Amino acid sequence: MNIQILGAHNCESSSIKLVSLLIDDTLALDAGGLASSLPIEAQLQLKAVLLTHQHYDHIRDIPTMGMNALFYETDIRVYSTRAVRDALATHWLNGTIYSEFLEKPPDNPRIKFTIIEPNQSFQIDGYDILAVPVNHSVPTVGYQVTSPDGKKVFYTGDTGPGLASCWPQVSPDLLITEVTAPNRYEEFGRRSLHLTPSLLKEELIAFQKLKGYLSPVVLVHMNPKQEAEIEAETAALSEELNTPITLAKEGEQINL
Ligand SMILES: [Zn+2]
Ligand SMILES: [Zn+2]
């Protein structure tokens, strides 16, 4: 399994992009900096875009890809819970902000949506996908993706403390999760349901206790202004827990 980090941040500029991951050039996880990172042909070759939740930094490029699909006379396939589809249909793809790509043209919509149910696995192009609810300020699911050769990655999307409730359901070879802010923002993390390195530590200890191992961990969704601080705290945590924990970078490729 090849995982390409398209976007690793919660802000965007000429050098960083909003969260989006690409697996084997086939599946995309979240669509923050998705269209802005890929040639149109590569966007339209994706078998699926899996969305974790409806926040702007995770869905931003879906309307753009709908327009690309229109002019390239094809469609894109998007998977999410009903909440995300409803938010897109109500607020963006509603004929006011942008075209109604979820419904138009009626016989062949440019965005083909599949509503998924949490805790039920499904298949896309030989990949087994399991959506697992996580603890965030709007309904959010993480995705465990298992490749045809059995490699597993679990991407949590945005999450606060409480990941331990996911651990019985997943057994990743690689965990991709979020750390938004440094340890001094722990109270903010508990309130707004994001992680700091200190909050992540509790979740990883629970993982190790339950599973008997700790996979490497890659972090996304960093606030760029505090990234150096997050990186230093993460390096200390990595050493303490004796497992690689690294901050993702745009353009990075990970092979499992
Ligand atoms: Zn969010
Ligand atoms: Zn976010």
Side-chain angles (χ1 to χ4, degrees):
M1 180 188 282
N2 173 270
I3 300 162
Q4 195 177 338
I5 308 293
L6 302 179
H9 290 84
N10 66 352
C11 297
E12 192 160 291
S13 73
S14 55
S15 58
I16 57 170
K17 289 186 186 297
L18 297 174
V19 181
S20 188
L21 311 172
L22 180 63
I23 297 179
D24 295 338
D25 299 322
T26 302
L27 303 176
L29 301 175
D30 277 338
L34 178 55
S36 62
S37 299
L38 291 178
I40 289 179
E41 291 78 4
Q43 295 169 32
L44 300 177
Q45 276 169 19
L46 293 171
K47 297 291 184 208
V49 181
L50 303 162
L51 301 174
T52 58
H53 66 302
Q54 69 209 43
H55 282 155
Y56 177 83
D57 50 326
H58 301 256
I59 64 170
R60 200 253 336 248
D61 283 357
I62 293 295
T64 308
M65 291 176 70
M67 188 62 88
N68 292 345
L70 171 68
F71 285 108
Y72 280 70
E73 298 176 352
T74 182
D75 52 53
I76 63 166
R77 288 149 299 281
V78 180
Y79 292 67
S80 77
T81 57
R82 179 166 293 282
V84 182
R85 187 202 184 277
D86 288 351
L88 274 165
T90 303
H91 298 290
W92 276 7
L93 303 175
N94 56 9
T96 300
I97 297 286
Y98 221 42
S99 187
E100 294 143 301
F101 290 129
L102 300 178
E103 279 117 35
K104 287 185 177 174
D107 54 331
N108 188 22
R110 295 302 166 187
I111 300 178
K112 296 206 164 40
F113 233 96
T114 301
I115 304 289
I116 55 117
E117 296 295 333
N119 304 313
Q120 290 179 16
S121 63
F122 54 97
Q123 296 270 326
I124 301 173
D125 207 41
Y127 292 80
D128 189 75
I129 320 277
L130 177 66
V132 184
V134 301
N135 193 23
H136 192 42
S137 51
V138 294
T140 303
V141 294
Y143 290 101
Q144 177 170 268
V145 178
T146 307
S147 63
D149 64 354
K151 294 288 193 296
K152 291 182 197 294
V153 60
F154 181 47
Y155 165 56
T156 66
D158 286 1
T159 182
L163 272 179
S165 66
C166 302
W167 298 153
Q169 296 187 69
V170 298
S171 299
D173 300 300
L174 174 70
L175 171 67
I176 303 179
T177 188
E178 69 127 288
V179 161
T180 300
N183 291 341
R184 61 194 167 91
Y185 285 82
E186 195 176 301
E187 197 41 51
F188 155 84
R190 288 190 195 280
R191 200 175 57 243
S192 63
L193 300 173
H194 288 291
L195 293 177
T196 63
S198 55
L199 293 170
L200 175 65
K201 177 182 168 181
E202 295 170 21
E203 307 299 335
L204 295 179
I205 288 171
F207 183 99
Q208 188 159 33
K209 202 169 160 192
L210 183 73
K211 307 300 246 189
Y213 78 103
L214 207 46
S215 74
V217 182
V218 169
L219 302 177
V220 296
H221 207 262
M222 290 76 71
N223 175 353
K225 188 162 185 237
Q226 298 164 328
E227 193 156 356
E229 204 176 339
I230 295 169
E231 190 156 33
E233 291 170 355
T234 298
L237 179 62
S238 174
E239 200 169 302
E240 186 182 344
L241 298 182
N242 197 28
T243 198
I245 308 175
T246 53
L247 272 51
K249 292 193 169 34
E250 284 77 8
E252 181 181 354
Q253 306 239 11
I254 302 162
N255 288 301
L256 289 185

